[in-house]
Amino acid sequence: MLKIKRLMQKHVPGMMTCEAVDEFLYDYHEGNLSYFESVKFKLHLSMCKECQAYVLGYKNTIRTSQENFITPEPIEKIPEELIQAILDIRTDK
Amino acid sequence: MINQPSTTIVDQNQEKKFLNDLINNNNSAYETLVRNYSPKMYAVARHFFSDNDDIQECTQKTFIQVFKNIKKFKQDSSLTTWLHRITVNEALMMIRQKKRQYSESLESFSQHYNEFGERTAFCDNTGSNIEAVFELNERKNSLNEIIYQLPEKYCNVILLRDIQEISTKETASILGITETSVKTQLHRGRQILKAILEQQERVNAEINWKVK
């Protein structure tokens, strides 16, 4: 597979390298690649296990950060003490 | 995701009058401002912190900025949008103050390519940086902490774009950088975060294996 990948990179015009995959990855994830770029990107992925793993890891990282970032439960009402403390800041000025 | 707060004062003329009252130091207008807008600002701040005390502190600090700067408010956006931005900036400022930054050697979390532009083994022998990540994780094993400890430029864009899901354009405007910089810094930040999380995964797997 490595040989095929190198041969294609050498002889197929516009064939992406792994390095180029990295450059296009952000726009691929955002859905901003043109049709032609997207085809080249996917063609490289279909031949390159390392990039497949890398792209999967990249997507997993974004998903993990979105799912695991901890935020406290929303509150129904702002505590009166907080409101008073804020109003006091102003009068203290 | 931040729900953009609905505008409390819908009518533009009404908002102008309200702002005038604030600029003229009308006490009752200030009380209305705090009571009506603090829930929205609290809701925005909530998405940056895991601790209620931090959210309250952020809400308070935001109001200090609002009180100081209300006269400078140019009214080129709605009051709600302006308050939203100040809250986000204050949250980022608090995170900046709390964080213990890694050294620039985090740059060593780079991808490496050979002469053919092919991906070679990932360079993960980052020595003390990785140890620092895990010392930190032992103290508080949360993703929040890992993100907070990233270099500031990466931390900010990850928080705004990936966690808060704020648009690239708005993120660029809040941070005062170009949309291209947002894109570049976000991509780099994600790569570093990916490397850290995968490293953590490997260490955890090793610990579990040893325990068994």
Side-chain angles (χ1 to χ4, degrees), chain B residues 58-69:
Chain B
C58 181
T59 311
Q60 280 199 32
K61 285 183 166 175
T62 304
F63 270 108
I64 294 175
Q65 290 307 317
V66 172
F67 297 157
K68 269 188 199 166
N69 294 298

Side-chain angles (χ1 to χ4, degrees), chain B residues 5-11 14-15 18 32-33 35-40 78-80 83:
Chain B
S6 62
T7 313
T8 301
I9 297 171
V10 183
D11 185 80
Q14 216 181 346
E15 183 163 299
F18 181 61
T32 306
L33 177 80
R35 289 198 182 277
N36 288 0
Y37 288 87
S38 59
K40 290 161 189 166
S78 74
L79 180 62
T80 308
L83 295 174

Side-chain angles (χ1 to χ4, degrees), chain A residues 9-35:
Chain A
Q9 268 167 206
K10 199 172 174 186
H11 299 292
V12 179
M15 184 72 194
M16 273 190 192
T17 60
C18 301
E19 201 167 355
V21 164
D22 236 2
E23 284 166 26
F24 282 90
L25 179 54
Y26 177 90
D27 285 320
Y28 171 74
H29 185 264
E30 297 284 307
N32 290 340
L33 290 189
S34 68
Y35 175 76

Side-chain angles (χ1 to χ4, degrees), chain A residues 2-3 5-6 9 16-27 29-30 32 44 48 50-91 93, chain B residues 22 25-27 30-31 34-35 38-40 42 46-52 55-57 59-61 63-64 67-68 111 113-114 116-119 122 141-145 147-148 158-159 161-165 168 182-184 186-188 190-191 193-195 197-198:
Chain A
L2 182 65
K3 269 188 179 174
K5 198 168 74 176
R6 278 188 193 167
Q9 268 167 206
M16 273 190 192
T17 60
C18 301
E19 201 167 355
V21 164
D22 236 2
E23 284 166 26
F24 282 90
L25 179 54
Y26 177 90
D27 285 320
H29 185 264
E30 297 284 307
N32 290 340
H44 180 99
C48 182
E50 289 84 2
C51 283
Q52 283 170 24
Y54 193 78
V55 171
L56 184 66
Y58 187 86
K59 286 181 180 174
N60 282 342
T61 300
I62 298 165
R63 190 177 43 79
T64 304
S65 55
Q66 288 170 338
E67 288 175 2
N68 293 286
F69 193 85
I70 300 166
T71 53
E73 289 298 308
I75 54 168
E76 282 184 14
K77 195 171 180 293
I78 298 290
E80 186 58 30
E81 306 88 74
L82 177 60
I83 289 185
Q84 284 308 325
I86 294 167
L87 290 170
D88 288 347
I89 293 168
R90 188 180 156 260
T91 35
K93 270 175 72 186
Chain B
L22 290 173
N25 272 325
N26 180 319
N27 282 338
Y30 271 99
E31 179 145 2
V34 174
R35 289 198 182 277
S38 59
K40 290 161 189 166
Y42 193 99
R46 187 176 76 82
H47 290 272
F48 286 90
F49 302 103
S50 57
D51 189 286
N52 273 315
I55 301 171
Q56 295 209 8
E57 187 183 333
T59 311
Q60 280 199 32
K61 285 183 166 175
F63 270 108
I64 294 175
F67 297 157
K68 269 188 199 166
Q111 284 297 298
Y113 307 95
N114 64 15
F116 303 103
E118 290 162 353
R119 213 175 280 284
F122 178 71
N141 190 16
S142 82
L143 186 78
N144 300 40
E145 288 297 318
I147 292 176
Y148 293 159
I158 287 177
L159 282 172
R161 288 284 292 112
D162 283 347
I163 309 296
Q164 319 294 334
E165 297 184 66
T168 303
V182 172
K183 174 183 153 174
T184 313
L186 181 58
H187 186 53
R188 186 82 189 106
R190 284 170 175 172
Q191 287 177 315
L193 187 60
K194 173 179 177 294
L197 294 178
E198 285 173 352

